């Protein structure tokens, strides 16, 4: 069976995923692009003796890429082997979308233009002239509505027809002055054996005029570089002077904009101007006075649903993993394999999977806000406030996500186009207290504060973390990333009813990636923690306690002795020794070696802090509401040390899963190293300061 490989490209929010979901009879594969965490969706279709593979590339505004997703899409378009491009554009914003279409046409590949959301234009009285667009562009055009499943299946037939037909001649030419300069560059390129193909060399010339650093690096090591570099400098100066522009990239953008405008005038009958539903909704939702309170209400509602509804299946998941541990203990013989699975991997993975419902609800809410078009408006609403702290309005989205789980929050930071804005946001995301820290807060608040004030203290902790994040962002912007955040310019999409199928597909993809991460990375980390806490074995401790446990008169005394034995064994283990070694570091904060161990264990996952404290204080199995554990903490920990621990938990590095996500998202080693150090140093300094102040106040 012959194979056709198709690159599905388009700007964000044009409905590429909806089109893929609407194609009937397709098999969907989901994974990541090689070497990066960017999602990769592939669809396989068999028709007419062909197997058609369609790769859904991440949304990309132009070949001048900024975000990690755009770089992935650009690299794929430049480097990978595929037969043709299917370019999806939004019929509502045809003029803007066609600018990217022209960049794709510069590549001289076989291409199909899919004009999606045609139903929305037609409902407003507009119409796209398909024949005229085909005539002007010289490529096949299909009008579709993925929502109404119109024209979608025609795409597959057109892919086969385009694959079997000859490539149409290039119909895209720029202003004569630009074409003359393209010819000059092409002549030099032809001197290299790498650029003998006239179409490819024209594309390279255009990208060089567009100041594409990626292409510039390709020619940098070639023998023709010196001649080409000199010529490019001359051409840049001539064109910029001639067009009175600062960059040839701006000149090409203006050219493409003018061409797309002319195309739209010829091929699009515009809808009648009238007050649309979007206009009426915007009058309320981005109202200068009511807009912000309405938005805060939606966010409050999302958090309520995330934590209230999400907590319902948690007990069921917890019980399921406990049962799996019991089955392993009953099935496997006693030994290291049984212990690492039943006591290490399964409980640790279970403690992460428990949060899957919360994460899915949070993602569902965020996807709903995005698909309906409301998210773009929230960024607009908050841009002024966030700018005071050196952040862009869009940074609010990952920061809010951080209260649920830091892992997806780091991934949500991809929506920030500017790399500087993105790195600042990611560096302060850890200060938004994720849900995994909540059990530690509940335990320490329950032990050291009156019950009547527990809710207020919890609110202050969460609020303090958010304020600290904004203050640190301001400092980072002032000291390390001098300059203003990128001006916030974003086209407001019309309000749309979300596609249930697309929502379901996105949730399924997120769930798969999350479970895969828990099943691999978390499982590996938990095995390390298990090993450190289980070895070396101490026969003398077991023997000493075995006699006392056997001689105990009651079950309560037996249980108490068993807990003491576990505590002694843990103290003797590698983890206990690490805690002893770290004790001098934490001693200025009032921590004993047990609190030091629990703090270090929290780097694996914040949830384990409570269980580690329970083990080390010889309470056995206990959660954050255990009265026995609360009593032990009151007996062994001072008030000021407890406050210092809350501050440490609030500020220091998030869990290993979040840290690994940060490393995957940020390629620069300098920021990876900075990220490993600065939150921990800041946490220690702030905890030390508060500890001393409370000491001076007599606590």
């Amino acid at each position: 069976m012959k194979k056709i490989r198709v690159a599905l490209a388009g700007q964000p929010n044009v409905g590429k995923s909806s089109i893929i979901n609407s194609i009937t009879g397709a098999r969907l594969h989901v994974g990541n692009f090689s070497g990066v965490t960017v999602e990769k969706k592939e669809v396989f279709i068999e028709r007419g003796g062909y197997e058609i593979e369609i790769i859904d590339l991440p949304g990309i505004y132009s070949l001048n890429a900024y975000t990690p997703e755009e770089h992935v899409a650009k690299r794929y378009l430049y480097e990978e082997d595929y037969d043709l491009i299917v370019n999806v554009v939004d019929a509502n914003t045809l003029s803007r979308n066609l600018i990217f279409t022209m960049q794709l046409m510069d590549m001289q590949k076989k291409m199909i233009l899919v004009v999606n959301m045609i139903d929305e234009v037609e409902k407003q009285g507009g119409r796209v002239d398909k024949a005229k667009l085909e005539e002007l562009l010289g490529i096949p055009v299909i009008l579709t509505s993925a929502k109404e499943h119109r024209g979608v299946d025609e795409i597959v037939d057109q892919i086969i027809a385009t694959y079997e037909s000859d490539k149409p001649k290039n119909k895209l030419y720029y202003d004569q002055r630009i074409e003359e300069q393209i010819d000059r560059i092409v002549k030099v390129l032809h001197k290299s054996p790498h650029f003998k193909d006239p179409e490819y060399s024209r594309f390279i010339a255009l990208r060089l005029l567009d100041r594409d650093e990626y292409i510039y690096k390709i020619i940098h090591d070639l023998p023709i570089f010196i001649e080409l570099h000199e010529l490019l400098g001359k051409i840049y100066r001539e064109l910029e002077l001639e067009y009175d522009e600062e960059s040839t990239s701006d000149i090409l953008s203006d050219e493409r904009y003018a061409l797309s405008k002319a195309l739209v005038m010829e091929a699009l009958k515009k809808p009648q101007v009238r007050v649309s539903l979007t206009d009426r909704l915007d009058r309320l939702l981005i109202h200068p006075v009511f807009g912000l309170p309405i938005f805060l209400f939606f966010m409050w509602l999302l958090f309520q649903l995330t934590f209230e509804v999400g907590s319902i299946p948690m007990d069921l998941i917890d019980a399921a993993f406990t049962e799996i541990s019991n089955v392993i203990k009953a099935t496997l013989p006693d030994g290291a394999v049984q212990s690492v699975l039943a006591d290490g991997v399964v409980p640790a993975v279970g403690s992460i999977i428990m949060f899957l419902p919360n994460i899915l609800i949070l993602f569902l809410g965020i996807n709903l806000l995005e698909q309906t078009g409301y998210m773009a408006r929230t960024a607009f609403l908050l841009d002024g406030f966030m700018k005071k702290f050196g952040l862009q309005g869009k940074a609010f989205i990952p920061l809010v996500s951080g209260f649920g789980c830091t892992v997806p929050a780091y991934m949500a930071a991809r929506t920030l186009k500017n790399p500087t804005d993105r790195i600042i946001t990611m560096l302060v995301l850890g200060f938004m207290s994720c849900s995994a820290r909540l059990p530690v807060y509940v335990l320490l608040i329950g032990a050291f504060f009156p019950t009547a004030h527990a809710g207020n203290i919890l609110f202050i902790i969460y609020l303090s973390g958010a304020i600290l994040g904004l203050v640190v962002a301001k400092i980072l912007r002032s000291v390390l990333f001098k300059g203003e955040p990128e001006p916030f310019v974003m086209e407001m999409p019309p309000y749309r009813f979300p596609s249930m199928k697309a929502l379901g597909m996105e949730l399924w993809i997120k769930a798969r990636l999350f479970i895969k991460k828990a099943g691999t990375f978390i499982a590996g980390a938990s095995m390390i923690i298990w090993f450190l806490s289980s070895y070396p074995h101490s026969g003398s401790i077991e023997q000493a306690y075995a006699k006392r446990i056997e001689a105990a008169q009651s079950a309560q005394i037996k249980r108490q002795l068993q807990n003491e034995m576990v505590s002694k064994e843990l103290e003797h283990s590698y983890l206990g020794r690490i805690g002893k070694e770290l004790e001098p570091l934490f001693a200025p904060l009032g921590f004993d070696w047990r609190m030091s161990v629990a703090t270090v264990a929290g780097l694996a996952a914040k949830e384990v802090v409570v269980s580690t404290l329970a083990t080390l204080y010889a309470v056995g199995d206990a959660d954050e509401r255990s009265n026995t554990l609360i009593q032990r903490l009151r007996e062994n920990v001072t008030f000021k040390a407890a406050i210092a621990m809350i501050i440490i938990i609030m500020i220091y590095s998030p869990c290993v899963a979040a840290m690994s996500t940060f490393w995957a998202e940020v390629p620069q080693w300098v920021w990876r190293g900075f990220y490993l150090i600065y939150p921990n140093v800041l946490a220690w300094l702030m905890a030390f300061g508060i500890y001393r102040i409370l000491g001076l106040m007599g606590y």
Side-chain angles (χ1 to χ4, degrees):
M1 186 176 284
K2 294 179 188 173
K3 191 167 184 177
I4 306 174
R5 179 174 279 186
V6 179
L8 186 69
Q11 297 191 342
N13 303 316
V14 295
K16 286 189 293 103
S17 295
S18 299
I19 282 177
I20 275 200
N21 295 335
S22 296
I23 294 175
T24 51
R27 290 177 284 119
L28 179 68
H29 287 186
V30 180
N32 279 350
F33 281 93
S34 177
V36 291
T37 55
V38 177
E39 291 160 14
K40 180 183 186 183
K41 280 188 267 189
E42 296 170 286
V43 163
F44 294 87
I45 306 155
E46 291 182 4
R47 190 177 296 181
Y50 288 100
E51 185 191 46
I52 303 165
E53 178 187 5
I54 304 176
I55 298 100
D56 182 12
L57 300 180
I60 176 171
Y61 284 103
S62 81
L63 292 180
N64 305 78
Y66 290 96
T67 66
E69 282 82 358
E70 287 183 318
H71 281 291
V72 167
K74 178 178 172 176
R75 272 200 299 276
Y76 190 93
L77 289 166
Y78 279 11
E79 297 173 0
E80 296 296 326
D81 183 23
Y82 54 91
D83 299 299
L84 58 96
I85 299 170
V86 172
N87 173 219
V88 183
V89 296
D90 181 350
N92 297 288
T93 53
L94 194 57
S95 179
R96 175 167 63 82
N97 278 213
L98 283 177
I99 294 172
F100 176 55
T101 301
M102 288 175 200
Q103 285 190 324
L104 293 177
M105 289 176 69
D106 287 339
M107 298 182 75
Q108 310 292 327
K109 297 266 187 183
K110 286 183 179 179
M111 195 164 115
I112 300 167
L113 182 69
V114 175
V115 182
N116 193 29
M117 303 179 194
I118 195 72
D119 57 306
E120 294 179 11
V121 172
E122 289 174 352
K123 278 176 188 168
Q124 296 175 55
R127 190 175 69 84
V128 174
D129 189 336
K130 174 188 166 182
K132 179 61 79 177
L133 211 49
E134 282 182 335
E135 179 193 337
L136 294 171
L137 290 171
I139 57 175
V141 174
I142 302 172
L143 306 182
T144 65
S145 166
K147 197 194 304 180
E148 297 181 354
H149 196 80
R150 278 172 55 190
V152 176
D153 289 332
E154 191 185 330
I155 295 172
V156 180
D157 296 331
Q158 188 59 58
I159 286 172
I160 296 171
T162 305
Y163 176 79
E164 291 177 340
S165 60
D166 295 331
K167 188 169 65 177
K169 288 185 180 177
N170 175 38
K171 296 190 76 171
L172 182 60
Y173 289 98
Y174 296 93
D175 183 271
Q176 186 58 35
R177 291 169 291 180
I178 296 172
E179 289 293 337
E180 285 170 4
Q181 303 298 0
I182 292 171
D183 289 341
R184 288 175 72 189
I185 298 170
V186 167
K187 279 179 186 169
V188 178
L189 287 169
H190 279 334
K191 294 179 182 177
S192 168
H194 297 87
F195 303 109
K196 291 299 180 189
D197 180 357
E199 292 183 337
Y200 181 57
S201 54
R202 175 184 167 82
F203 168 64
I204 295 295
L206 270 164
R207 295 312 304 153
L208 287 170
L209 284 179
D210 220 344
R211 306 256 186 176
D212 189 329
E213 289 183 7
Y214 186 91
I215 298 296
Y216 197 81
K217 285 175 186 169
I218 291 176
I219 65 160
H220 185 269
D221 298 329
L222 300 177
I224 58 168
F225 174 72
I226 296 175
E227 185 182 355
L228 199 57
H229 179 70
E230 192 178 335
L231 176 66
L232 281 174
K234 200 182 291 182
I235 289 174
Y236 289 155
R237 285 192 296 277
E238 286 176 13
L239 283 175
E240 285 159 10
L241 191 65
E242 207 165 346
Y243 282 85
D244 194 21
E245 288 282 0
E246 291 184 356
S247 165
T248 47
S249 182
D250 294 339
I251 296 168
L252 279 176
S253 293
D254 292 344
E255 274 288 297
R256 294 188 183 111
Y257 175 72
L259 284 169
S260 71
K261 203 171 172 184
L263 282 167
V264 169
M265 284 178 70
E266 289 281 336
L268 175 69
K269 179 192 170 190
K270 287 192 174 179
Q272 293 176 348
V273 179
R274 59 183 179 181
V275 179
S276 65
L277 178 63
T278 291
D279 294 330
R280 286 197 289 271
L281 284 172
D282 273 346
R283 284 175 189 168
L284 176 67
L285 294 179
I286 55 175
H287 188 275
V289 177
F290 303 118
L292 196 55
I294 291 171
F295 165 69
L296 291 175
F297 169 74
F298 282 134
M299 293 316 299
W300 172 84
L301 191 63
L302 177 57
F303 272 87
Q304 290 296 316
L305 289 171
T306 299
F307 292 109
E308 296 298 328
V309 179
S311 65
I312 295 172
M314 287 178 85
D315 290 339
L316 294 174
I317 297 173
D318 188 29
F321 275 88
T322 304
E323 186 59 30
I324 293 171
S325 282
N326 292 336
V327 169
I328 290 171
K329 285 179 180 174
T331 308
L332 296 179
D334 289 344
V337 175
Q338 186 218 63
S339 179
V340 71
L341 290 175
D343 301 327
V345 175
V346 172
V349 172
S351 69
I352 304 298
I353 297 293
M354 275 172 61
F355 292 96
L356 182 60
N358 305 67
I359 289 169
L360 290 183
I361 292 169
L362 190 64
F363 266 117
L364 177 66
I366 290 173
N367 281 342
L368 268 173
L369 294 177
E370 280 181 342
Q371 284 205 18
T372 53
Y374 185 58
M375 193 62 92
R377 286 155 175 87
T378 63
F380 168 77
L381 273 173
L382 291 161
D383 188 54
F385 173 78
M386 300 291 281
K387 259 199 183 117
K388 291 175 182 170
F389 296 95
L391 293 169
Q392 201 193 76
K394 270 187 176 180
F396 184 78
I397 298 164
L399 291 178
V400 168
S401 304
F403 286 112
C405 178
T406 317
V407 173
Y410 282 135
M411 295 164 75
R414 293 173 183 170
T415 53
L416 295 165
K417 190 175 175 183
N418 184 290
T420 302
D421 293 346
R422 188 166 60 251
I423 190 73
I424 294 177
T425 304
M426 294 181 75
L427 285 172
V428 301
L429 255 175
F431 300 131
M432 309 299 128
S433 285
C434 66
S435 56
R437 304 182 202 203
L438 185 61
V440 193
Y441 297 149
V442 171
L443 172 68
L444 294 173
I445 290 170
F448 295 96
F449 290 93
T451 308
H453 298 309
N456 294 332
I457 300 298
L458 191 63
F459 177 73
I460 289 170
I461 290 172
Y462 274 78
L463 188 65
S464 302
I467 292 171
L468 179 67
L470 293 175
V471 171
V472 172
K474 181 67 177 175
I475 293 170
L476 288 172
R477 174 67 76 178
S478 305
V479 179
L480 297 178
F481 301 92
K482 290 182 180 176
E484 291 297 315
E486 187 175 88
F488 180 67
V489 180
M490 188 171 181
E491 186 172 338
M492 295 291 179
Y495 288 103
R496 295 191 178 103
F497 193 78
S499 159
M500 293 299 118
K501 193 171 180 180
L503 276 176
M505 190 63 72
E506 286 299 316
L507 283 182
W508 165 237
I509 291 167
K510 291 286 186 300
R512 272 186 63 175
L513 291 175
F514 183 79
I515 291 170
K516 186 179 173 186
K517 189 186 289 288
T520 52
F521 190 82
I522 300 292
S526 65
M527 285 175 74
I528 295 171
I529 294 289
W530 168 85
F531 176 80
L532 292 174
S533 61
S534 303
Y535 289 93
H537 283 304
S538 173
S540 59
I541 294 175
E542 287 182 13
Q543 286 173 10
Y545 274 90
K547 291 177 186 173
R548 293 174 62 188
I549 291 170
E550 193 177 341
Q553 298 296 318
S554 67
Q556 186 182 356
I557 296 173
K558 274 189 180 180
R559 191 164 54 249
Q560 189 178 340
L561 288 170
Q562 282 169 342
N563 290 339
E564 281 182 22
M565 183 181 73
V566 172
S567 175
K568 291 283 182 188
E569 285 178 330
L570 195 52
E571 185 177 355
H572 180 75
S573 70
Y574 292 123
L575 194 63
R577 294 177 192 183
I578 292 170
K580 294 275 188 184
E581 291 295 323
L582 290 172
E583 195 173 3
L585 178 65
F586 289 100
L589 312 179
F591 289 17
D592 60 11
W593 73 270
R594 290 167 289 202
M595 292 175 73
S596 304
V597 169
T599 304
V600 174
L603 288 172
K606 295 292 175 285
E607 298 91 337
V608 305
V609 172
V610 174
S611 59
T612 306
L613 285 172
T615 304
L616 294 175
Y617 283 106
V619 178
D621 291 335
D623 62 16
E624 65 274 16
R625 290 184 174 81
S626 164
N627 289 328
T628 312
L629 179 57
I630 287 173
Q631 189 56 39
R632 289 290 165 84
L633 288 176
R634 285 174 182 162
E635 291 166 3
N636 293 279
V637 180
T638 63
F639 175 76
K640 55 187 179 181
I643 298 297
M645 188 164 194
I646 288 175
I647 291 169
I648 290 281
I649 296 293
M650 193 174 83
I651 302 174
Y652 81 143
S653 290
C655 65
V656 284
M659 286 190 278
S660 66
T661 307
F662 181 95
W663 274 52
E665 295 289 309
V666 179
Q668 299 94 338
W669 282 98
V670 62
W671 295 122
R672 288 175 171 180
F674 182 70
Y675 169 77
L676 282 181
I677 297 168
Y678 105 92
N680 300 309
V681 173
L682 181 65
W684 192 96
L685 289 174
M686 292 202 67
F688 178 74
I690 297 293
Y691 181 81
R692 289 294 171 190
I693 290 170
L694 289 173
L696 291 173
M697 292 170 69
Y699 285 99

